[in-house]
Amino acid sequence: MCYLLNTLDPEQTGFIAVENFTSLAEHHELQLDPSKLEMLLALVQSNEHGHVCYQELIELLNSKRSSSFRRAIANGRRTLQREILLDETGLGVYKRFVRYVAYEILPCETDRRWYFHQSRLCPPPVFMAILTIVQIIVFMCYGVMLNKWVLQTYQPDFMKSPLVYHPGHRAQIWRFFSYMFMHVGLEQLGFNALLQLMIGVPLEMVHGILRISLLYMAGVIAGSLTVSITDMRAPVVGGSGGVYALCSAHLANVVMNWAGMKCPYKLLRMILALVCMSSEVGRAVWLRFSPPLPSSGPQPSFMAHLSGAVVGISMGLLILRSYEESLHKQCSWWVLIFSFITFLLFAIFWNIFAYELLGVQIPPPP
């Protein structure tokens, strides 16, 4: 870095003359992958001041992209002569999968090329994979114990699980999270597991484990808290809050970037996804209001699905639109965080005082 600084900025001004930098970049004296070299030239071509900021160069070399840098790239995009990522040949199985993920998730060709060239196998997208495996193991264990694989909630012993959220046990804080490991039956588990692997894994590959796990868990927490406020007598099971947060965020991102998204059959897939998600909500509504067995009490609520979708459209959409940008530097991110904390505090006070003040008749906990 010191050699590079002395070569490009001998007077230590913090800026690099466009002529010197262009000559260096065009002669390939910088050891960069093609995507980074392409973006450096775009930055130079879009420059109006005759110099390039040295700090932005360092951020690029360290695989960081500031919003001002991305704007410079966008301004210079029209002057670039580059190949489309789909034209890349001789790729291995992993790189072909990475290219597929890039076109499924990212709406901009520059972002797709950036992700394709900087993507690494390590760390793998472990959050969604491990979560799905744990959910399957838990379901199989309860299926064997109850000898029932569909509509397990009709078994009284199902609600005795320490993982299920039940309003009579709402003082046990872990239940607001742990209910995501329990499922009504094979139909709900299959739907959630399929979406977690088909949508959650590609999202985690592109945006990282921290952002996607945060979005998923925000949907899960919002789901149980919303049920405790709006459907106060009902229990909650299933990871639908987190799943709907991921799916709603991805679908909203596709709609808002419709022209840029190059995934095949996107309209047909969008319709199919909406039909499947609506059908799952309809199944949950039917189950909630179906006549309960005297021994089982009210059936699980469907409000977790809807609250998860709200989290996805708000928080999730901002996360997906901020690829390679820092969330903490965006005002809208802090507005969302403040709103979520406000909702969390309101839900806590509601769970402490509202049940007794409203005289809600909670079914006896199992």
Side-chain angles (χ1 to χ4, degrees), residues 325-356:
E325 292 185 26
S326 299
L327 292 173
H328 68 273
K329 296 181 180 179
Q330 303 183 46
C331 179
S332 53
W333 172 251
W334 293 109
V335 171
L336 287 173
I337 293 298
F338 176 77
S339 301
F340 192 84
I341 293 176
T342 302
F343 168 71
L344 179 63
L345 294 176
F346 172 77
I348 292 174
F349 280 100
W350 182 275
N351 278 272
I352 294 175
F353 301 109
Y355 281 78
E356 293 185 4

Side-chain angles (χ1 to χ4, degrees), residues 102-120:
Y103 277 93
E104 286 290 313
I105 303 300
L106 296 171
C108 174
E109 184 67 20
T110 304
D111 286 341
R112 288 191 285 260
R113 292 183 62 84
W114 175 273
Y115 168 72
F116 178 81
H117 287 290
Q118 64 89 35
S119 176
R120 300 292 183 269

Side-chain angles (χ1 to χ4, degrees), residues 18-268:
V18 167
E19 295 81 5
N20 296 339
F21 180 78
T22 303
S23 175
L24 185 67
E26 289 180 347
H27 287 84
H28 300 281
E29 296 179 29
L30 294 175
Q31 299 300 317
L32 299 174
D33 62 55
S35 179
K36 289 185 178 181
L37 184 59
E38 173 185 294
M39 292 181 180
L40 286 173
L41 292 175
L43 179 64
V44 172
Q45 293 170 3
S46 63
N47 190 277
E48 299 177 354
H49 305 288
H51 55 246
V52 179
C53 178
Y54 179 73
Q55 182 59 38
E56 289 186 341
L57 172 62
I58 297 303
E59 289 180 351
L60 177 64
L61 295 177
N62 288 282
S63 297
K64 297 179 181 178
R65 295 163 65 187
S66 63
S67 59
S68 61
F69 185 76
R70 296 188 66 190
R71 285 196 298 270
I73 293 173
N75 293 334
R77 184 180 297 134
R78 294 181 180 179
T79 63
L80 285 176
Q81 300 295 327
R82 62 171 183 265
E83 296 180 356
I84 302 299
L85 187 57
L86 285 174
D87 297 333
E88 296 275 356
T89 59
L91 300 177
V93 175
Y94 173 71
K95 274 300 184 181
R96 287 201 299 269
F97 180 66
V98 169
R99 181 174 61 182
Y100 164 80
V101 169
Y103 277 93
E104 286 290 313
I105 303 300
L106 296 171
C108 174
E109 184 67 20
T110 304
D111 286 341
R112 288 191 285 260
R113 292 183 62 84
W114 175 273
Y115 168 72
F116 178 81
H117 287 290
Q118 64 89 35
S119 176
R120 300 292 183 269
L121 186 58
C122 186
V126 296
F127 175 74
M128 280 297 150
I130 293 177
L131 177 65
T132 303
I133 292 173
V134 172
Q135 289 174 338
I136 293 174
I137 292 175
V138 171
F139 175 77
M140 293 182 65
C141 291
Y142 278 90
V144 172
M145 288 191 298
L146 302 175
N147 194 26
K148 192 175 181 65
W149 303 93
V150 178
L151 296 179
Q152 290 183 347
T153 51
Y154 279 104
Q155 282 280 12
D157 291 339
F158 180 87
M159 290 298 174
K160 295 180 180 180
S161 170
L163 302 177
V164 173
Y165 168 80
H166 190 282
H169 290 308
R170 65 185 185 279
Q172 300 174 356
I173 305 299
W174 72 83
R175 292 178 181 261
F176 286 89
F177 303 87
S178 61
Y179 78 93
M180 68 180 179
F181 296 110
M182 303 291 292
H183 287 83
V184 171
L186 188 61
E187 67 285 356
Q188 186 188 26
L189 174 65
F191 180 81
N192 287 348
L194 183 65
L195 290 181
Q196 285 173 181
L197 296 178
M198 291 184 61
I199 296 179
V201 169
L203 286 176
E204 186 179 346
M205 289 178 63
V206 173
H207 296 281
I209 183 174
L210 181 61
R211 291 188 176 190
I212 299 305
S213 60
L214 173 64
L215 175 58
Y216 188 93
M217 294 306 300
V220 169
I221 298 172
S224 55
L225 292 178
T226 301
V227 170
S228 70
I229 296 173
T230 61
D231 199 0
M232 301 169 68
R233 300 181 69 252
V236 190
V237 296
S240 297
V243 170
Y244 273 65
L246 295 179
C247 294
S248 299
H250 178 57
L251 293 179
N253 190 44
V254 170
V255 171
M256 295 189 66
N257 299 280
W258 189 261
M261 298 300 294
K262 301 302 181 183
C263 47
Y265 308 108
K266 56 185 175 183
L267 179 59
L268 178 61

